[in-house]
Amino acid sequence: MTSKRMIYAGIVLIALIAVTGGIYAFQVSQMGDDLPKTFVVGYTNDIRHLDPHLRQNVWSILVINQMYEPLFKYKYEPVSDEPWANFSVLGEYEGVLATSWENPNDTTYIFHLREGVKFHDGSPLDANAVKLSLDRMRELSPKEVTATSIASVDVIDSHTVQIKLAKPFAPWFSMMAANYFGYIVSPKAIQENGDEYMKEHAVGTGPFKFVERTPGTEIMLERNEDYWGDAPKIDNIRYKIVPDVDTMRLEIEKGTIHYTMYFLPNDWLGDFKSNPNINTMQYSPSDIYRAIHFMHSVPPFDDVNVRKAIAYSLDYDSMLQALGPVYRVWTPLTEFYGDFVNKDVTRYERDLDKARELLVKSGYEDGLKITLHYSPFQPEIKTTAEIAQQNLKDVGIELELKSYEWATMRSMVMDKSAGMFIWGGGGGYPDPDNPMFANFHSSQIPARNRSDYVNPEVDSLLERARSSTDKAERIRLYY
């Protein structure tokens, strides 16, 4: 179907980065024995806040994950010999605050809670706490699909809770396992301190407790001596904010930062691997990608032939070679998604004659001047932009490069003032609904559908795919 093939015209997927570490939340209580008492984690960006029931950034999620816990999580499989090198497994789960659950029909889940668990303020975990937390999530984040998909949360007894969905929703369990707002918060802390307090403090059941936060500088946590599970092997976690990547590297090499993840320049890897004091981890397949996006409502990118001409102008092989340990993907459904990956979608390769033909068709036979916007939080992003600039010269396109701080770049994307830009994707909940609905459903404009892509037929396909619980049917719809 043409519309399904054309769905990808809004983004040119350059490469998927096999990052050091990963985007999924880890708990340092799972790590080995030879750790410092205060474990320092290096962040390139500050957290947004500490309230688990409001939209977070990835750095917030990783901190929150140490202090709050969900009802259940993904099962993990090791990707190296290190005890902390885990990666989530698509569609397999295990209990955390819930020990078991039933799913009697497509819209009902009954959870049985773990006995004897206490929040950091000493109050007990029970079904009322679960109900309060999930109802609070629905109140504070009413537009989030994790919340809107829930019809009711009911207490069956002190340690049994029932959640009913408004309608069948295939990604819901995956979202909750990925901690998409599904953390359980102390009712006592909320009732005594209010919602604003929870943005800068945390009172959960996790292996670490909140100590203090200095915005833009650090977050300090301490071990929860009353943790219900395996005791953490360290006393404290210090999250240190180091925006400058060169400073981050020096601190890693000196040992003043013990762990960092997600945004590591690929050209560090060789040096790090040869350093006996530094362990590196890369895993593949990953669900994280980088892409050049076109804003469909902004000229000249509202012309599909211009978008295609740019796609045919890029030298993808040169990009892959320059970027390091990455591989190319053609849709947001990377190899991480297994059976959901459609290998027969339209694949753009460099074809300068085709690019020039399309430009002539759009009335740009004399070339055109456009701008590529990006935030260089990772050196590979700048490299991608510079290669694209050189490539487009070959077909008469003058590409101006403009670099911004992350917050400015995000604002430009949100207000649609960036017609062509580099943006990352992936992470979150490992269900194909995550990248597909976000990138291509019109309801997600501008927060997640950043290309301003609108196609009613595609909207319908995506809605049907997320409402079906039949895997074969969902694969067919995504294809």
Side-chain angles (χ1 to χ4, degrees):
M1 182 180 299
T2 301
S3 62
K4 289 183 72 175
R5 292 199 301 271
M6 291 290 289
I7 190 173
Y8 305 111
I11 53 178
V12 179
L13 292 159
I14 303 302
L16 177 94
I17 297 178
V19 295
T20 300
I23 197 169
Y24 293 102
F26 65 94
Q27 286 196 345
V28 296
S29 60
Q30 299 170 347
M31 297 184 180
D33 295 319
D34 53 343
L35 291 168
K37 291 299 181 182
T38 296
F39 192 78
V40 183
V41 178
Y43 272 8
T44 54
N45 289 66
D46 198 0
I47 66 172
R48 187 173 294 172
H49 55 74
L50 290 171
D51 193 325
H53 297 149
L54 297 173
R55 177 165 286 277
Q56 309 112 0
N57 59 22
V58 64
W59 299 278
S60 295
I61 293 172
L62 297 177
V63 177
I64 287 170
N65 191 63
Q66 308 301 330
M67 299 176 288
Y68 289 109
E69 295 177 304
L71 295 175
F72 54 93
K73 67 178 182 180
Y74 295 109
K75 285 185 178 179
Y76 293 94
E77 64 180 7
V79 293
S80 83
D81 293 334
E82 298 291 344
W84 45 269
N86 295 317
F87 196 69
S88 58
V89 180
L90 204 62
E92 296 183 30
Y93 308 95
E94 62 185 357
V96 182
L97 296 182
T99 56
S100 63
W101 54 87
E102 296 100 47
N103 182 204
N105 56 57
D106 286 347
T107 60
T108 304
Y109 295 90
I110 300 171
F111 294 94
H112 303 280
L113 304 182
R114 192 177 298 278
E115 302 270 357
V117 177
K118 291 184 178 181
F119 289 100
H120 298 156
D121 58 9
S123 58
L125 168 77
D126 59 18
N128 286 316
V130 174
K131 176 176 172 56
L132 180 143
S133 292
L134 298 184
D135 284 347
R136 180 176 186 268
M137 177 257 292
R138 297 166 67 199
E139 178 183 350
L140 295 184
S141 298
K143 294 184 179 180
E144 298 294 341
V145 68
T146 319
T148 59
S149 58
I150 297 177
S152 64
V153 181
D154 299 303
V155 173
I156 305 302
D157 59 39
S158 66
H159 282 74
T160 308
V161 64
Q162 175 181 275
I163 301 173
K164 290 191 71 68
L165 304 186
K167 59 183 178 181
F169 184 57
W172 184 80
F173 215 72
S174 179
M175 285 180 172
M176 291 290 283
N179 304 327
Y180 259 53
F181 309 97
Y183 293 101
I184 309 305
V185 179
S186 164
K188 178 182 177 183
I190 296 169
Q191 291 159 3
E192 291 183 355
N193 301 289
D195 289 333
E196 285 300 313
Y197 176 88
M198 303 307 293
K199 292 181 181 179
E200 295 296 329
H201 301 80
V203 187
T205 59
F208 289 90
K209 300 166 64 174
F210 176 78
V211 177
E212 63 179 349
R213 178 194 177 199
T214 305
T217 302
E218 68 176 17
I219 306 103
M220 286 291 297
L221 312 183
E222 65 182 5
R223 179 169 57 197
N224 177 9
E225 300 293 350
D226 298 316
Y227 184 55
W228 62 267
D230 294 336
K233 298 179 175 67
I234 60 176
D235 293 339
N236 303 284
I237 309 175
R238 178 189 178 204
Y239 292 90
K240 184 175 182 180
I241 316 303
V242 185
D244 182 75
V245 292
D246 292 324
T247 303
M248 177 80 79
R249 174 171 182 160
L250 289 174
E251 294 220 36
I252 293 170
E253 291 174 335
K254 289 191 301 181
T256 51
I257 285 178
H258 305 121
Y259 188 88
T260 191
M261 63 185 301
Y262 194 42
F263 294 138
L264 285 187
N266 288 320
D267 60 4
W268 294 7
L269 293 177
D271 292 340
F272 280 5
K273 287 180 178 178
S274 63
N275 187 329
N277 297 317
I278 298 175
N279 291 322
T280 61
M281 181 182 69
Q282 293 174 263
Y283 40 70
S284 182
S286 170
D287 61 342
I288 301 170
Y289 62 87
R290 300 285 177 263
I292 294 177
H293 289 247
F294 304 117
M295 192 72 72
H296 284 218
S297 58
V298 177
F301 310 108
D302 56 346
D303 185 336
V304 67
N305 291 316
V306 171
R307 300 196 301 267
K308 286 183 176 182
I310 294 170
Y312 281 120
S313 301
L314 296 175
D315 185 347
Y316 301 99
D317 290 338
S318 294
M319 284 187 176
L320 294 178
Q321 186 174 2
L323 294 176
V326 301
Y327 61 88
R328 189 178 173 196
V329 295
W330 285 265
T331 84
L333 291 181
T334 70
E335 291 181 14
F336 173 82
Y337 290 96
D339 294 340
F340 289 97
V341 178
N342 184 357
K343 300 184 183 297
D344 296 324
V345 297
T346 301
R347 300 187 176 197
Y348 291 95
E349 301 294 349
R350 195 171 209 219
D351 186 334
L352 299 183
D353 290 337
K354 182 68 172 176
R356 294 186 186 101
E357 176 186 325
L358 289 164
L359 288 173
V360 170
K361 191 174 181 179
S362 294
Y364 295 107
E365 58 270 11
D366 296 327
L368 76 160
K369 182 177 179 179
I370 56 179
T371 302
L372 177 60
H373 308 268
Y374 68 97
S375 178
F377 59 83
Q378 200 171 16
E380 287 70 27
I381 292 176
K382 182 181 179 182
T383 300
T384 299
E386 291 171 343
I387 293 174
Q389 183 182 50
Q390 293 301 314
N391 290 166
L392 296 189
K393 282 182 180 180
D394 295 337
V395 295
I397 298 177
E398 182 181 346
L399 184 65
E400 181 183 11
L401 304 182
K402 287 191 175 181
S403 172
Y404 309 88
E405 292 294 326
W406 171 252
T408 302
M409 182 72 222
R410 185 178 186 277
S411 295
M412 292 180 66
V413 171
M414 293 292 285
D415 66 20
K416 304 181 184 181
S417 59
M420 180 180 177
F421 56 95
I422 298 178
W423 200 267
Y429 58 100
D431 184 279
D433 177 80
N434 181 18
M436 297 299 287
F437 199 89
N439 277 294
F440 301 119
H441 197 280
S442 60
S443 68
Q444 302 301 294
I445 297 171
R448 301 179 74 201
N449 179 344
R450 302 179 182 98
S451 295
D452 218 19
Y453 180 85
V454 179
N455 186 320
E457 185 177 359
V458 170
D459 282 356
S460 176
L461 290 167
L462 293 171
E463 289 162 7
R464 289 164 57 194
R466 64 171 15 190
S467 64
S468 174
T469 56
D470 182 281
K471 181 178 179 180
E473 173 68 4
R474 297 188 77 206
I475 290 173
R476 186 186 68 79
L477 291 166
Y478 285 123
Y479 275 31

